[in-house]
Amino acid sequence: MGKSGAGKTSMRSLIFSNYTANDTRRLGATIDVEHSTVQFMGDLNLNIWDCGGQHKYLDNYLNEQKENIFGNVEVLIYVFDLETTNRESEYKLYDECLHNLEAYSRDAKVYCLVHKIDKVAEDQKEATVESYRRALAKRSELFQPGVYGTSIWDHTLYRA
C-alpha cells in the first residue's frame, strides 16, 4: 500500500518477476488491484495484492472496499516515497490504512519501506530512516512496524 509512484509495482516486479531495476522503468501505473500468487519456499503460497496508489483507488480501498482490502491480512507492507513533497499526507494515508487494519486484521504484521533511499546522501540514510521510524512508532500502539530504507538499485530491498 502507498501512494502512486512510490515504487510498489517496481519492487514486486524486481523480487517476484525477475525484473532488473532498469526493466521497471517501462512499468505503468497499477490500475485498481493486481492479484498474484507466488509459490515461495516450497509449499508456501504468497497472495500478493498490488494496490494502485492513485487517489481514486485509495479512496475506494479505504471506504467502499475496506473489508475486502483489509480483511484477513497477515502482512501489510506500506511504501513511503522519499520523493514526496507532502509527508503529512503520506502519514494520513498510513493512519487510515492502520485504522482499517485494526478493524479487520488486528493480528497483521506491518512493515514500512522508506523507498528510494538511493536518492539520499550516504551519510544521511540512517538518520532519514530513523526519522520515519520514530514518527511511525508514535502513530499506533497496536502495530509497531518494522521500518527499512529501500531502493531497487541496491541490496536494501532484499535485506528488508
Side-chain angles (χ1 to χ4, degrees), residues 7-18:
K8 302 174 300 293
T9 302
S10 293
M11 288 188 277
R12 178 182 58 94
S13 297
L14 196 79
I15 294 171
F16 298 111
S17 299
N18 296 319

Side-chain angles (χ1 to χ4, degrees), residues 11-74:
M11 288 188 277
R12 178 182 58 94
S13 297
L14 196 79
I15 294 171
F16 298 111
S17 299
N18 296 319
Y19 277 48
T20 66
N22 280 326
D23 291 340
T24 65
R25 291 179 175 169
R26 69 174 190 248
L27 294 170
T30 302
I31 306 301
D32 202 18
V33 179
E34 290 183 8
H35 302 269
S36 59
T37 300
V38 177
Q39 195 164 22
F40 192 70
M41 296 175 66
D43 62 348
L44 179 64
N45 286 322
L46 296 177
N47 294 310
I48 300 169
W49 290 27
D50 184 0
C51 299
Q54 295 84 355
H55 180 72
K56 66 181 177 181
Y57 299 129
L58 292 171
D59 188 53
N60 191 358
Y61 306 151
L62 296 169
N63 296 298
E64 290 81 28
Q65 289 191 53
K66 60 187 172 186
E67 189 171 355
N68 183 43
I69 296 291
F70 294 96
N72 300 311
V73 172
E74 292 190 37

